[in-house]
Amino acid sequence: MSIRVETGGLLTTVQDSGRFGFQKYGVLASGAMDTAALRLANLLAGNQEGAAALEITLLGPKLVFEKSAVIALAGGNLSPAADDVRLPLWRPVYIPAGTRLTFGRAVSGCRTYLAVAGGIHVPEVMGSRSTYLRAGMGGYHGRALQAGDVLETGASLAWQDMASDKAVVLPWGASHELRPAYQDHPVLRVVRGPEYALFDEESRRKLWRERFRVTPQSDRMGYRLEGVPLALAEPLDMVSSAVGAGTIQVPPEGHPIVLLADRQTTGGYPRIAHVISVDLPLIAQVKPGGQIRFEEVSLEEAQDVYVMREHSIAQFKQGLALQAR
């Protein structure tokens, strides 16, 4: 089964759950910016939750399905439509052969994930199909999709064979409680970073009190924030240290950077805080110009909400397995 790309959109790439086990060699993890949306879209499409899907940013592509398929869309609402008929998010949808899938304005969020039953089949590179654009690695020839590309997908599932020449929304989906609580201007929960205590007292107060604006220079590597500058109490010469998804670094000019999917493996800027993993999907859906605020939680609280989310997803998987019988 194949999907023909008529237009590639602003930035449409193949992403899965990431490329892990190679960061010690300087190879980035990459993967989906909004891992919750990727996982739920894949589960709804009948895939393993980390399977390769399309990450669609702000301005979506035009895609023609050359064979029938079951798809699921999750994440930001970029007004998807099948032959001009609006489609819902967070539900599986049967798409007949010849259907043109298009996207319109960004109603909410800025990234949609399109999972196709069977997954997107591109070669694995170091155990992952994710695209790392700067290195031209993985995905579809290491780049964003463009007109004329043809994507191969995995084998169809039995319940794809429906006698319909129009898109059909299937009668199950992800509940509101399971979806991330996206907002244009979210409050992100964070834990203190290793160098938090080295910032002056006023900067530490500002971190919790002020809002920071996401700049247009933000990308998959990290979100650059503008607002009141943060400053160290004294100059510091740091040895490069480990960073992860959600690490908040503060360069010398004082404007924080929240590291995301294409983050580097180490960094030499002080780490004032870390966004907890459950809230990373929230920042991944903030458009340039959006504002964010930080709220401190303990490590124990961060672990508790992570366990609760994973328990909810596990229950959802069990329910889908029963539905498929």
Side-chain angles (χ1 to χ4, degrees):
M1 180 170 62
S2 58
I3 302 170
R4 179 164 45 86
V5 180
E6 288 192 341
T7 62
L10 179 64
L11 180 64
T12 304
T13 59
V14 178
Q15 301 292 344
D16 59 16
S17 55
R19 182 172 289 108
F20 296 100
F22 302 96
Q23 287 178 280
K24 60 186 175 182
Y25 304 117
V27 179
L28 311 191
S30 297
M33 288 277 281
D34 182 345
T35 54
L38 173 83
R39 295 171 70 184
L40 293 174
N42 269 318
L43 290 172
L44 287 166
N47 299 333
Q48 294 296 314
E49 59 192 85
L54 296 185
E55 180 179 90
I56 298 164
T57 306
L58 280 174
L59 180 63
K62 293 181 181 178
L63 308 172
V64 176
F65 285 76
E66 297 184 337
K67 292 186 179 180
S68 61
V70 167
I71 68 168
L73 295 151
N77 185 352
L78 304 186
S79 303
D83 290 338
D84 299 323
V85 176
R86 290 288 296 272
L87 295 180
L89 277 69
W90 312 103
R91 300 278 295 274
V93 180
Y94 168 77
I95 298 291
T99 299
R100 177 177 283 100
L101 181 65
T102 59
F103 297 83
R105 72 182 185 92
V107 177
S108 64
C110 61
R111 291 180 173 87
T112 292
Y113 291 83
L114 168 60
V116 183
I120 304 294
H121 275 208
V122 293
E124 285 193 357
V125 178
M126 298 181 179
S128 171
R129 293 184 168 90
S130 283
T131 311
Y132 174 41
L133 293 168
R134 284 189 173 92
M137 175 189 294
Y140 190 89
H141 301 299
R143 59 168 172 79
L145 298 186
Q146 59 190 36
D149 292 344
V150 176
L151 296 168
E152 298 299 328
T153 63
S156 300
L157 299 180
W159 38 269
Q160 287 182 328
D161 299 325
M162 301 177 64
S164 175
D165 58 358
K166 296 181 180 179
V168 177
V169 179
L170 300 176
W172 61 87
S175 68
H176 285 279
E177 292 75 19
L178 196 59
R179 308 172 199 173
Y182 301 129
Q183 299 177 42
D184 292 335
H185 310 293
V187 176
L188 303 176
R189 291 169 289 184
V190 303
V191 296
R192 296 184 183 188
E195 287 76 49
Y196 174 83
L198 301 181
F199 285 82
D200 63 39
E201 185 176 349
E202 181 62 19
S203 293
R204 282 178 273 154
R205 282 199 297 265
K206 289 175 180 176
L207 180 67
W208 313 124
R209 189 174 59 203
E210 303 291 338
R211 284 194 169 272
F212 297 86
R213 186 178 70 88
V214 176
T215 72
Q217 290 72 39
S218 301
D219 58 18
R220 281 179 45 86
M221 182 176 181
Y223 269 26
R224 296 177 178 272
L225 308 180
E226 282 184 349
V228 293
L230 307 178
L232 293 165
E234 297 179 359
L236 174 68
D237 289 326
M238 270 190 64
V239 175
S240 288
S241 302
V243 295
T247 296
I248 305 173
Q249 291 187 310
V250 182
E253 69 272 13
H255 297 300
I257 302 171
V258 183
L259 300 181
L260 296 170
D262 284 348
R263 65 197 176 274
Q264 69 273 28
T265 57
T266 62
Y269 297 139
R271 301 156 293 178
I272 193 169
H274 298 276
V275 179
I276 69 172
S277 61
V278 171
D279 283 1
L280 288 175
L282 305 186
I283 189 170
Q285 295 292 350
V286 177
K287 304 181 188 74
Q291 295 185 348
I292 62 176
R293 188 168 66 80
F294 298 115
E295 177 183 272
E296 184 179 10
V297 296
S298 68
L299 179 60
E300 291 73 19
E301 289 173 304
Q303 292 170 335
D304 286 345
V305 295
Y306 175 82
V307 170
M308 289 173 60
R309 182 191 68 177
E310 294 304 303
H311 178 68
S312 296
I313 292 177
Q315 288 185 314
F316 180 61
K317 289 171 66 174
Q318 289 179 342
L320 288 175
L322 293 173
Q323 179 71 44
R325 290 180 181 176

